[in-house]
Amino acid sequence: MANILLTGASRGIGAAARDVLIAAGHNVIGQSTAGSNGIIASDFAQPRAADALWAAALARAGGRIDVVINNAGVFEDADITDADQFATIWARSLAINLQAAADLCRHAVLHFQENGGGRIVNVASRAGHRGDSPAHWHYAAAKAGMIAMTKSIARGYGAQNIVAYVVAPGFTLTDMAEAYMATPAGAQVIADTPLGRVATAGEVAETIRWLATDAPASLTGATLDINGASYVR
């Protein structure tokens, strides 16, 4: 049994990952903005929120965390014609999608150095490789930063038994996405996916579980794409 800190654990991919990890016998300490059902409330838009979360999670885990999964994120429009809104959304996106993950990775690396190693799984996005829409420069930039950060951790700390992986989903079918997929835009998403469908939250969750618990250490630094061949590197 591993003690696993999982952010964004209350819905979508995070909720699915929490379920499969618990079913596999692990102790999952979850985070969400609101918190509920044993999940710790933490708002990553607030400065140093990740530091407080780490302390709370470490206490709940009895002083040892084995795996950190950075899954929390937001996907909001930024209008390039509105300078104030553009700046606000960029700041919020980078705080939640990248800075919070960086802060938790920092805590994890320091903790793992003292405890013989550990694993980090960062949930990025296809957008980190291919970019995103005109309204989502910030999202693509944050996810690309997460991918580069993970590679840096893998290269810098592998000798200390600290491994780090990335999952990069494309469009993923969750409860919130079902209505969108019923629109013409959703049909276009399918048309752009050679597999003929988008990934399910369960598929992404199972990939996260494997990386968090079973993947070979030699895979450290790798990004696993899960996008139905809609973007192939």
Side-chain angles (χ1 to χ4, degrees):
M1 182 189 77
N3 290 328
I4 300 174
L5 172 57
L6 167 67
T7 69
S10 65
R11 62 184 184 179
I13 291 169
R18 183 172 182 253
D19 287 346
V20 298
L21 287 164
I22 291 173
H26 301 292
N27 177 34
V28 180
I29 302 101
Q31 172 274 343
S32 71
T33 301
S36 63
N37 300 321
I39 294 174
I40 299 171
S42 179
D43 182 0
F44 290 152
Q46 303 304 312
R48 309 301 294 271
D51 296 339
L53 170 65
W54 177 265
L58 194 61
R60 188 174 292 189
R64 177 165 182 146
I65 291 174
D66 304 294
V67 182
V68 170
I69 303 171
N70 284 302
N71 168 71
V74 291
F75 186 77
E76 300 168 335
D77 293 352
D79 182 356
I80 65 170
T81 68
D82 185 332
D84 290 339
Q85 193 252 14
F86 185 80
T88 297
I89 294 299
W90 265 82
R92 175 174 161 81
S93 180
L94 292 176
I96 296 172
N97 293 329
L98 183 56
Q99 186 64 58
D103 291 341
L104 289 176
C105 284
R106 183 183 74 84
H107 283 293
V109 167
L110 293 171
H111 181 70
F112 295 160
Q113 286 176 325
E114 296 178 351
N115 291 279
R119 292 185 175 223
I120 294 169
V121 181
N122 288 326
V123 182
S125 169
R126 174 184 67 181
H129 294 296
R130 76 167 201 173
D132 211 289
S133 75
H136 300 101
W137 301 359
H138 57 88
Y139 183 78
K143 293 304 185 178
M146 177 180 272
I147 292 168
M149 176 179 69
T150 308
K151 292 177 180 180
S152 298
I153 292 169
R155 288 176 57 80
Y157 305 100
Q160 298 172 59
N161 197 32
I162 298 170
V163 297
Y165 312 105
V166 177
V167 179
F171 200 97
T172 304
L173 187 62
T174 63
D175 291 343
M176 292 184 298
E178 287 181 357
Y180 179 84
M181 292 305 297
T183 69
Q188 184 59 47
V189 170
I190 298 297
D192 289 341
T193 306
L195 187 62
R197 65 172 179 85
V198 298
T200 67
E203 287 177 314
V204 182
E206 178 56 27
T207 305
I208 292 170
R209 183 210 61 77
W210 182 72
L211 290 174
T213 60
D214 294 329
S218 289
L219 195 66
T220 189
T223 299
L224 298 190
D225 299 317
I226 181 164
N227 61 49
S230 61
Y231 184 75
V232 179
R233 294 181 294 125

